[in-house]
Amino acid sequence: MIGIMGAMPEEIRHLIPHIQNVRQQESGMRVYYQGTLLGTPVVLVFSRIGKVAAATTATNLILEYGVEEIIFTGVAGALHPDLRIGDVVVGRHLYQHDMDATPIMSRFEIPLLGRHFFETAPAQTDRALAAAKRFFEGMNQYVSEQEKARFHIAKPEIVLGDIASGDVFVSAHAHKTDIQESLPSVQCVEMEGAAVAQVCYEFGIPCTVIRTISDAANESSELDFPRFIETIASNYSEGIVLEWFRQYNGLQ
Ligand code: SAH
């Protein structure tokens, strides 16, 4: 059984109709959609936003549904200047940029775990990168030329890189700069990935975080983020997750 999570309804909306023999269960203010996706048993859930929401949902997926692996799909704000709206980042190291127990510990250190980030395994990142590549090759099935033009998406890139999560929507230049300077390897910011990665690490299961850039984590995020979420975030999640399962099944 594989768990699929998105932090916003738009990030999972188009996947629901692809689940066969779907059973819907409500628990702890979440709706879990259980069934099969391209033949593989799955549970799909909208986790709600932020690290606590994502961590409790991931824990529930593991304990209640016995998932052996979790895929998180969603949007993020770009930190790296080369990233554009519509690019995809596959998470390699996941940091919690708001974790700060200094002076007792070093900045970003996760208490008691003695680490500053959670690492995703090559088997997971390879599959996610391949899925994103296939998605872009057949992107026109999911995103129209008009929508691409609207967001200036021409040749979207796929990056394997580090992601930082925190309970903040980053839209202020000063905050963006602080994260960039203190965590220079980080490509983008979001609010859930490293929380899911911590839960998966603690329970010893693999985790994948795939993020599409929706905004530049600056003053224009206020406009770019809702426009991207309303129009094409669901299409990206749908396409990437379907390709992920095609890779997983070895289907062409
Ligand atoms: N009021 C908004 C809140 C969205 S929070 C709403 O409900 O419509 C932003 C979501 O997108 C989170 O799930 C986060 O993971 C991701 N995200 C996208 N851009 C981000 C940014 N610049 N900073 C932090 N999170 C971002």
Side-chain angles (χ1 to χ4, degrees):
M1 177 93 70
I2 293 185
I4 310 165
M5 298 173 62
M8 306 188 70
E10 294 84 352
E11 294 169 343
I12 68 150
R13 182 184 292 157
H14 287 184
L15 285 165
I16 301 168
H18 291 284
I19 300 184
Q20 290 189 311
N21 305 319
V22 65
R23 272 191 298 135
Q24 211 172 305
Q25 277 178 316
E26 269 190 62
S27 171
M29 298 189 174
R30 315 284 190 273
V31 179
Y32 294 82
Y33 301 88
Q34 190 177 3
T36 55
L37 185 60
L38 298 176
T40 303
V42 295
V43 195
L44 171 71
V45 59
F46 150 46
S47 68
R48 295 169 166 252
I49 298 162
K51 300 205 315 296
V52 173
T56 51
T57 311
T59 308
N60 203 40
L61 281 173
I62 295 167
L63 296 182
E64 281 294 316
Y65 292 91
V67 302
E68 293 135 38
E69 172 159 4
I70 293 179
I71 315 166
F72 193 103
T73 166
V75 297
L79 236 55
H80 197 287
D82 291 347
L83 282 171
R84 299 276 166 271
I85 290 178
D87 289 350
V88 166
V89 179
V90 172
R92 187 183 49 174
H93 296 164
L94 291 125
Y95 290 88
Q96 295 179 13
H97 69 74
D98 54 356
M99 177 59 78
D100 188 354
T102 52
I104 303 159
M105 292 172 194
S106 57
R107 195 173 172 198
F108 309 120
E109 184 178 341
I110 309 293
L112 307 182
L113 296 182
R115 52 174 54 240
H116 293 77
F117 58 81
F118 299 95
E119 194 167 358
T120 47
Q124 270 61 42
T125 52
D126 285 354
R127 192 178 297 139
L129 290 168
K133 185 164 176 278
R134 289 294 293 262
F135 166 66
F136 282 141
E137 283 163 6
M139 193 180 179
N140 294 349
Q141 299 166 53
Y142 298 99
V143 184
S144 69
E145 285 301 329
Q146 198 186 352
E147 283 167 329
K148 278 165 71 178
R150 199 170 157 214
F151 291 95
H152 308 287
I153 300 172
K155 271 194 82 213
E157 300 284 337
I158 306 161
V159 176
L160 172 64
D162 297 353
I163 296 178
S165 312
D167 287 327
V168 191
F169 182 75
V170 180
S171 61
H173 180 73
H175 195 179
K176 177 176 176 169
T177 310
D178 175 52
I179 302 172
Q180 275 171 322
E181 284 171 0
S182 48
L183 292 170
S185 69
V186 165
Q187 297 279 333
C188 63
V189 280
E190 37 85 310
M191 301 174 67
E192 301 84 15
V196 176
Q198 178 170 348
V199 172
C200 288
Y201 172 82
E202 290 177 345
F203 281 93
I205 70 163
C207 160
T208 305
V209 179
I210 308 174
R211 291 283 182 172
T212 304
I213 301 303
S214 56
D215 58 271
N218 61 18
E219 282 66 15
S220 41
S221 297
E222 198 184 328
L223 285 177
D224 292 337
F225 169 79
R227 280 203 326 156
F228 191 86
I229 277 289
E230 274 158 33
T231 48
I232 59 176
S234 335
N235 306 49
Y236 261 78
S237 292
E238 178 190 10
I240 293 172
V241 170
L242 289 179
E243 290 303 341
W244 190 96
F245 279 89
R246 292 198 180 105
Q247 297 293 323
Y248 185 77
N249 292 335
L251 299 179
Q252 287 315 299

